[in-house]
Amino acid sequence: MMAGAAEDLRVLFGAGIRAALEAWPALQIAVENGFGGVHSQEKAEWLGGAVEDYFIANADLELEEIEDFLGELMTTEFDTVVEDGSLPQVSQQLQTMFHHFQKGDEAALQEMTSHINQQKCKVAATPVKTATETDVAEDDVDSVEEMEVTATNDGATTDEVCPQPQPSDPDPQTIKEEDIVEDGWTIVRRKK
């Protein structure tokens, strides 16, 4: 392979990595909510280069090694533990791209990258208040907050790619306006 073609292939491999990471909902949520601090966006951009360098430096990576590497980066850089099952999927995508890169299969890399870009979803996370929450100070750094994720499709693909969450049945213990008294306290009533 000529030097120019190898360089073009490496650029394409890097673009594929960045597309896969940008399409990863766990990373999107971490960046949008500033889990990596004020420089979350810069960290996400750096992550693409770090993953690319990791693959180039380690030619025969196993899937578990890729998962461990991505998981460690998400934990250290974004204070995020990925438990939604997406880590193996993203790792598999990246491993497949790397195999195409190693074989010099430019067409397969382009196809994977465009496929990922077509399926890219925009996700939004909103805090969910649970019945088991305690009266802990809002600025408690050790507190855990559940997030509800909503995906919307940015591309021209169908809803099957980014399924919308189904609305749940209304909670029978929903707080009514008349249950909130003037001083901010809420009246809790038993079920009938």
Side-chain angles (χ1 to χ4, degrees):
M1 187 179 337
M2 295 181 359
E7 189 175 311
D8 290 346
L9 195 61
R10 169 108 187 232
V11 169
L12 187 57
F13 175 58
I17 288 173
R18 286 167 184 74
L21 294 176
E22 289 170 6
W24 188 16
L27 181 58
Q28 284 183 16
I29 291 169
V31 170
E32 287 177 11
N33 291 287
F35 294 171
V38 295
H39 301 291
S40 291
Q41 185 62 46
E42 290 84 359
K43 285 183 178 183
E45 292 167 8
W46 165 84
L47 187 66
V51 170
E52 181 180 347
D53 292 344
Y54 180 68
F55 275 100
I56 299 301
N58 303 286
D60 57 346
L61 291 169
E62 297 292 324
L63 187 61
E64 294 80 25
E65 293 172 307
I66 300 165
E67 287 178 38
D68 290 345
F69 179 70
L70 287 177
E72 183 66 28
L73 285 175
M74 288 296 289
T75 301
T76 56
E77 298 299 328
F78 295 98
D79 197 25
T80 301
V81 177
V82 181
E83 295 179 335
D84 64 352
S86 65
L87 196 52
Q89 295 170 342
V90 172
S91 299
Q92 181 64 54
Q93 277 183 328
L94 296 175
Q95 187 180 44
T96 302
M97 279 186 218
F98 187 59
H99 288 308
H100 292 315
F101 170 74
Q102 287 177 316
K103 291 189 294 186
D105 193 348
E106 186 176 334
L109 269 173
Q110 285 178 333
E111 184 179 329
M112 276 192 81
T113 303
S114 78
H115 181 71
I116 290 168
N117 284 329
Q118 288 173 357
Q119 289 186 338
K120 197 179 292 185
C121 298
K122 176 77 173 149
V123 294
T126 54
V128 175
K129 298 292 183 192
T130 62
T132 59
E133 284 185 358
T134 58
D135 293 331
V136 178
E138 287 288 328
D139 59 352
D140 183 4
V141 294
D142 294 331
S143 67
V144 176
E145 188 174 309
E146 289 187 29
M147 304 296 276
E148 181 177 289
V149 179
T150 306
T152 58
N153 192 359
D154 282 348
T157 55
T158 65
D159 286 336
E160 294 172 15
V161 174
C162 298
Q164 296 294 327
Q166 298 299 319
S168 59
D169 294 333
D171 184 5
Q173 294 181 346
T174 305
I175 299 172
K176 297 180 178 124
E177 277 190 48
E178 64 267 11
D179 289 343
I180 300 174
V181 291
E182 290 178 29
D183 60 359
W185 289 89
T186 303
I187 300 171
V188 178
R189 301 185 192 278
R190 289 188 178 186
K191 289 184 178 180
K192 295 180 181 174

